[in-house]
Amino acid sequence: MYNVKDLEAVKKNWRSFWNHEFIGRPYVLVTAPKDGTAVEKKDETYVKKLKDARRGDFASAVRDFEEIAKATMHYGESLPHYKADLCPDQYAAFYGAEVEARDGEYTTWIKEPVAEELCDLDLTFHRDNEFFQMVEKSVRTAAEIANGNFIVHVPDYHSNLDALSALLSPQNLCYELMDNPELLEEKLAQINGDFGKIYDIFYEAGNMKETGTLSWLNAYCEDRMTVIQCDFSCMMSPAQARQFVIPSIEKELESVDRAIYHYDGKMALGHFDDVMAVKRLDCIQWTPGAGQKRTIYWMDLLKKVQAGGKSVWLRDWTAEEILADTELDPALTAFTLNLKSEREAEEFMEKLEKKYR
């Protein structure tokens, strides 16, 4: 595997992570440019990937990534991985939403709602859906090119209520939440019921039984793993979340062995205790939301997560902040960190390990 010094040791540490065991330091996923290498800047936007896919080119983006992977060193628990997704709202596209790619932008968008009301939504999943076939081909092509040198990650689904929000629009889903809760339960059960089937297809296409699974957060697992989220929950009351969000999480968990919950925005904190009560969630990745202070300023919340027996996943701390921390339980903490050179990364790892001796 590209620029990973001891793959078996990394896998052993990941087993410890999922079992909430102390490995002598916090879990860290550190990357740095490989000495003596220079890679021309690549277009890694969803817009570029989607346009390539629509003209039948599923390989060029992977080849571009491979150049970057060969020039990137990995330390701690970091592993090279390729993101084969074609857009954030691809799960909604599997049910007929049209995805728009705008020149000059990074991400893609749902062009317009498929329907205004739930009763007009056909949520029958068809494997021959054009967008689904493109994503499957993207994953399969990447796995063939990877050939064990990097891992193709589990797609970023944006499923459950987030998919319905994209299909109807957030405003219309709010109306349905108030006016037609029974129909919403029915439609949500239908879309949630497809999750395991969809997961299995990508699991096979990405050769994940052999490689293990790796999420868009960079978390790795030798078994079946995913990142679950429900960003739409920020618009819901605690009672509504208990009725719709928590059952969605639990249904998706039936298809995997391990899971991280991507908790996005302080407006969703009214559901915190209910999310924490889902026993099979192993870890919480806290994202405070646009305009909010970084996660280091949410220490009370992070410690509450750990007190509840779950790990925290942190993506915005500096090397200095990680080395200075004395408040978080290192057995229940994972950091991702990009550094400027091999020397800087090696010095960081040495200081971190020395701190906990």
Side-chain angles (χ1 to χ4, degrees):
M1 194 163 289
Y2 290 138
N3 302 321
V4 176
K5 293 180 180 179
D6 189 339
L7 180 58
E8 291 308 311
V10 174
K11 288 183 176 180
K12 180 181 178 182
N13 283 357
W14 276 113
R15 290 194 291 272
S16 296
F17 171 80
W18 295 111
N19 291 326
H20 295 164
E21 296 169 352
F22 181 53
I23 59 170
R25 56 167 173 77
Y27 296 87
V28 290
L29 291 78
V30 181
T31 56
K34 186 176 182 180
D35 289 348
T37 62
V39 178
E40 181 182 344
K41 186 173 176 59
K42 307 294 184 182
D43 184 348
E44 299 179 89
T45 62
Y46 283 124
V47 171
K48 194 265 186 187
K49 285 184 180 180
L50 181 55
K51 287 189 172 183
D52 284 351
R54 281 176 167 161
R55 59 186 177 82
D57 178 3
F58 297 92
S60 63
V62 190
R63 297 295 185 192
D64 285 349
F65 164 79
E66 195 168 29
E67 285 188 46
I68 297 169
K70 289 177 180 178
T72 303
M73 297 299 295
H74 296 267
Y75 302 85
E77 286 63 65
S78 181
L79 294 170
H81 67 284
Y82 176 71
K83 187 174 185 179
D85 296 323
L86 298 182
C87 76
D89 284 316
Q90 58 197 9
Y91 205 93
F94 300 162
Y95 294 90
E98 183 180 352
V99 181
E100 182 178 24
R102 303 172 188 168
D103 288 332
E105 296 191 6
Y106 172 82
T107 196
T108 53
W109 308 89
I110 298 301
K111 189 173 183 179
E112 59 186 16
V114 172
E116 291 186 2
E117 298 180 349
L118 280 169
C119 60
D120 294 325
L121 270 185
D122 179 5
L123 294 178
T124 305
F125 170 69
H126 298 285
R127 187 166 178 173
D128 62 357
N129 170 280
E130 182 181 0
F131 205 94
F132 183 86
Q133 289 195 329
M134 284 197 299
V135 180
E136 182 181 354
K137 182 67 173 177
S138 178
V139 171
R140 196 174 299 279
T141 301
E144 291 168 357
I145 293 173
N147 193 30
N149 291 314
F150 55 88
I151 298 171
V152 181
H153 80 74
V154 176
D156 181 11
Y157 290 110
H158 289 237
S159 49
N160 56 69
L161 285 147
D162 289 344
L164 290 179
S165 176
L167 288 163
L168 288 180
S169 84
Q171 177 177 308
N172 286 334
L173 184 54
C174 284
Y175 292 148
E176 298 288 356
L177 186 65
M178 295 182 291
D179 297 339
N180 296 302
E182 291 183 0
L183 180 59
L184 177 54
E185 271 192 332
E186 178 185 324
K187 294 289 189 178
L188 189 57
Q190 187 177 357
I191 205 168
N192 290 342
D194 290 333
F195 182 87
K197 182 192 312 180
I198 291 170
Y199 187 99
D200 287 346
I201 293 170
F202 289 128
Y203 185 79
E204 182 275 327
N207 194 33
M208 297 174 195
K209 185 175 181 179
E210 299 300 321
T211 65
T213 51
L214 200 150
S215 74
W216 62 269
L217 287 175
N218 304 4
Y220 174 79
C221 181
E222 291 173 289
D223 300 313
R224 295 161 64 94
M225 177 267 299
T226 194
V227 175
I228 293 174
Q229 68 188 72
C230 184
D231 292 349
F232 185 79
S233 68
C234 70
M235 301 186 186
M236 304 171 74
S237 71
Q240 290 170 331
R242 284 190 288 273
Q243 182 177 0
F244 299 105
V245 178
I246 301 304
S248 297
I249 294 172
E250 291 174 337
K251 181 61 179 178
E252 292 184 11
L253 284 169
E254 292 177 6
S255 302
V256 297
D257 301 297
R258 302 290 189 178
I260 297 173
Y261 189 75
H262 168 59
Y263 210 140
D264 195 343
K266 70 174 187 177
M267 296 296 291
L269 285 178
H271 321 314
F272 179 83
D273 290 340
D274 294 310
V275 171
M276 286 294 297
V278 180
K279 292 182 179 179
R280 291 195 57 233
L281 284 176
D282 301 280
C283 179
I284 302 293
Q285 186 263 319
W286 171 236
T287 298
Q292 299 298 315
K293 292 182 178 180
R294 295 186 302 118
T295 57
I296 195 170
Y297 297 103
W298 295 80
M299 191 61 68
D300 288 347
L301 180 67
L302 302 179
K303 289 196 285 189
K304 190 174 180 181
V305 171
Q306 293 187 333
K310 302 188 190 303
S311 298
V312 292
W313 191 276
L314 304 169
R315 306 172 70 199
D316 60 354
W317 289 40
T318 67
E320 292 74 20
E321 288 167 343
I322 295 170
L323 290 170
D325 177 60
T326 59
E327 297 192 61
L328 295 176
D329 180 350
L332 296 173
T333 307
F335 297 100
T336 59
L337 181 66
N338 299 315
L339 295 174
K340 295 179 181 179
S341 67
E342 288 188 49
R343 179 178 177 181
E344 188 175 341
E346 289 165 0
E347 288 179 350
F348 168 79
M349 292 302 301
E350 183 178 346
K351 290 177 182 177
L352 187 64
E353 289 168 2
K354 184 178 180 180
K355 173 183 174 180
Y356 289 91
R357 284 176 192 161

